[in-house]
Amino acid sequence: MTLAPSHKALVPFVSVDNMMKLVHHIGIEPMLRGLADYIEADFRRWELFDKTPRIASHSEEGVIELMPTSDGEVYGFKYVNGHPKNTREGLQTVTAFGLLANVGNGYPVLLSEMTVLTALRTAATSAMVAKYLAPKGAHTMAMIGNGAQSEFQTLAMKAICGLKSVRLYDIDPAATAKAARNLRGLGLEVVSCSTPEESMEGAQIITTCTADKQYATILTDNMVGAGVHINAIGGDCPGKTELATGVLQRSTIFVEYPEQTRIEGEIQQLSPDHPVTEMWQVINGTAKGRSHADEITLFDSVGFAIEDFSALRYVRDHIAGTDLFLDLDLLADPDDPRDLFGMLQRASTP
């Protein structure tokens, strides 16, 4: 006997295929702007959220993490991994999925892929922050590290900050060629560079996004001049950094959540009391952003659960009234809530 699931058993599920359809349905640049708006709105109510550093399980190969939060009405979490070696095996470095649930009864209200969505929300967060911190009129970005995130970062800066030109560099020329090919015809000047120094010529924004799990120096102190904004997104776990300490010491540093960033971000290289500013305070107007034209601002971004919560909220709101999700039979719904075993028995009746 097959028991048809009731509506209480069904949870909307957004697959990778439907996520891609949703992006094309909305348009990638409008979606990036929309995600940035949702993230900014949640930063404005930052104090309402449960906040904790993500729960990480590290290995020699990479890391697997859970990222939970709640605003008191809705609970969300993301499962995500980071395994730099994966590309050599034909696998993604980062995969993810996420869930939203009703705090009042604990029932899930959305299950979604988050491999594509994480790339979108990371880029949207970077550009939302750059809107506050980048020098006025910034139009050129150096994109150092041309892997899976690079095109998203570039398009978000175009959509939200008015970027006109991107200068690409990667130690793997094939990655740069891939990014240049993907960005062709999207309304940007795209310049492929042979050295990181070349990529920074004329750039007011510098984004670093490399994957190796090691203390690395992608930006040395003498490579960074005055008046730029650095968007450092590659250092996102203990023992993984991209910037020389001299760059950090010359910069005004902005972070998402200090308790997490001091463990995982570029500032793990500095003393635990090194001053940083939380971005939600800048957005709320209780802390300063960029103070003067010659200042070096640094967004030490490691990703935080509230950004994933915002992205899942956006998806939940924008799949309504579409066919871009599947109803997943995820929750048991016996006729009598106390009779789970009886439901199981009835399912075996011929």
Side-chain angles (χ1 to χ4, degrees), residues 94-113:
V94 175
T95 68
F97 66 88
L99 179 143
L100 289 180
N102 184 318
V103 168
N105 58 25
Y107 268 46
V109 297
L110 177 70
L111 178 65
S112 178
E113 84 79 37

Side-chain angles (χ1 to χ4, degrees), residues 27-41 43 116-132 141 149-161 207 229 231 233 256 279 283 299 301 303-304 306-308 310-312 314:
I28 187 165
E29 290 190 33
M31 186 164 177
L32 285 163
R33 285 192 291 267
L35 285 166
D37 289 343
Y38 270 59
I39 294 165
E40 185 171 353
F43 271 51
V116 175
L117 187 57
T118 292
L120 289 161
R121 78 86 163 130
T122 302
T125 301
S126 294
M128 183 270 292
V129 169
K131 181 178 69 173
Y132 285 91
M141 179 173 77
Q149 179 66 218
S150 59
E151 298 93 339
F152 294 94
Q153 289 283 323
T154 301
L155 286 178
M157 292 292 181
K158 174 180 180 285
I160 295 163
C161 301
T207 294
H229 172 62
N231 178 39
I233 62 175
E256 292 138 318
M279 268 312 302
I283 292 168
F299 180 41
S301 175
F304 192 62
I306 293 173
E307 297 154 10
D308 299 309
S310 306
L312 289 167
Y314 179 91

